[in-house]
Amino acid sequence: MDEHIQADELKSWDSEAQALDDNVRHLVAISAMASANRTSSIASVARRRLDQLAQTSEKAFFIQQTREAILKMSCLMGTPKSINALTSLMSLVGSDSDLVQELAKAPALRSQENYNYSQMRARGQDLFDGIYGRHAVTVEGKLRGLYPDLAEVVMVDCYGRLLGETSYLDGRDTELCAIGSLVPQDVPSQLKSHCLGAARMGATEDMVQAALRLAKLICTKRP
């Protein structure tokens, strides 16, 4: 196991985030670690969860969930951190030929063939409205006032093409990962918005607080 991840640290994650199911707890932790630039430890965290799963199909599903979480969070923490996080994650997959074969069966989720601008924009708008609720129009207006292209990129590319894809992560779990990703960045306004957004997408207060506690624990442990 990575020297930066001790057994007592992992136990504290489980204790502080009992409201999250096992997969989501690891996804939130990995999202926070990627954002905090603790990417060298991500493989060992993912390995811990893989060791708890018996079936190759379950393992492949978790890896797909993790890849989706990291990719989705690129719009919050930046592409370089996502690349580094994915590099760490996939370093543990290559030694498992059955898992590699199972992952190879998964179709691309964002290929040219399944991309339509109007559909992506509509999907993004639906998710944006769901997360921001009655404040959605105001928030979108502020983005458009800053730079119209920013509002369009956020709506189409971030919320439509990235965050709005739900084959492996639904809106609730995506928002819980967003909490994990935002805590290390010291952006209280955005963090508050996505805590509220997680609730609007179906997360309980216990889930939101668990994600916050878990991310804060990770932030207090520096490599």
Side-chain angles (χ1 to χ4, degrees):
M1 181 171 285
D2 189 286
E3 63 180 356
H4 302 143
I5 306 295
Q6 304 298 326
D8 58 347
E9 184 178 0
L10 293 170
K11 288 179 181 179
S12 70
W13 295 0
D14 293 341
S15 176
E16 292 294 333
Q18 293 181 26
L20 304 177
D21 70 41
D22 289 334
N23 274 16
V24 174
R25 187 184 311 131
H26 285 79
L27 296 176
V28 171
I30 287 170
S31 296
M33 297 182 83
S35 185
N37 210 29
R38 289 186 66 186
T39 52
S40 63
S41 301
I42 286 173
S44 60
V45 175
R47 169 54 64 194
R48 184 210 191 203
R49 181 57 184 147
L50 290 178
D51 288 344
Q52 296 168 348
L53 299 170
Q55 302 298 320
T56 299
S57 59
E58 294 175 320
K59 295 179 180 183
F61 185 76
F62 173 69
I63 292 295
Q64 287 290 74
Q65 282 191 308
T66 308
R67 294 202 291 193
E68 272 294 289
I70 293 170
L71 175 61
K72 286 184 173 189
M73 294 309 107
S74 66
C75 68
L76 298 178
M77 65 186 177
T79 303
K81 288 182 178 179
S82 289
I83 292 172
N84 291 341
L86 284 167
T87 299
S88 178
L89 173 71
M90 297 307 293
S91 69
L92 68 85
V93 173
S95 59
D96 188 332
S97 59
D98 290 338
L99 183 53
V100 170
Q101 290 178 12
E102 189 71 21
L103 289 170
K105 299 176 185 177
L109 300 177
R110 299 174 180 85
S111 65
Q112 182 177 351
E113 289 74 19
N114 59 25
Y115 178 77
N116 176 283
Y117 188 91
S118 297
Q119 291 176 356
M120 286 299 111
R121 201 187 192 295
R123 187 169 80 174
Q125 189 74 61
D126 285 345
L127 179 59
F128 190 88
D129 291 348
I131 289 172
Y132 289 97
R134 63 187 177 87
H135 303 291
V137 173
T138 300
V139 175
E140 183 178 354
K142 287 182 178 178
L143 295 175
R144 201 162 295 283
L146 292 171
Y147 185 22
D149 282 19
L150 171 63
E152 199 67 9
V153 166
V154 165
M155 201 65 66
V156 178
D157 298 306
C158 295
Y159 280 81
R161 199 168 194 194
L162 274 178
L163 301 176
E165 169 56 55
T166 58
S167 297
Y168 295 102
L169 280 183
D170 61 18
R172 183 198 72 180
D173 292 345
T174 296
E175 282 297 280
L176 291 170
C177 288
I179 292 171
S181 181
L182 289 167
V183 165
Q185 299 184 56
D186 191 22
V187 284
S189 178
Q190 287 80 6
L191 177 59
K192 179 180 178 181
S193 292
H194 284 279
C195 285
L196 293 171
R200 293 189 183 105
M201 299 305 291
T204 65
E205 179 63 20
D206 285 345
M207 289 177 179
V208 172
Q209 292 302 318
L212 284 168
R213 287 194 301 270
L214 180 53
K216 288 174 182 177
L217 276 174
I218 288 167
C219 289
T220 60
K221 178 70 175 181
R222 295 294 181 181

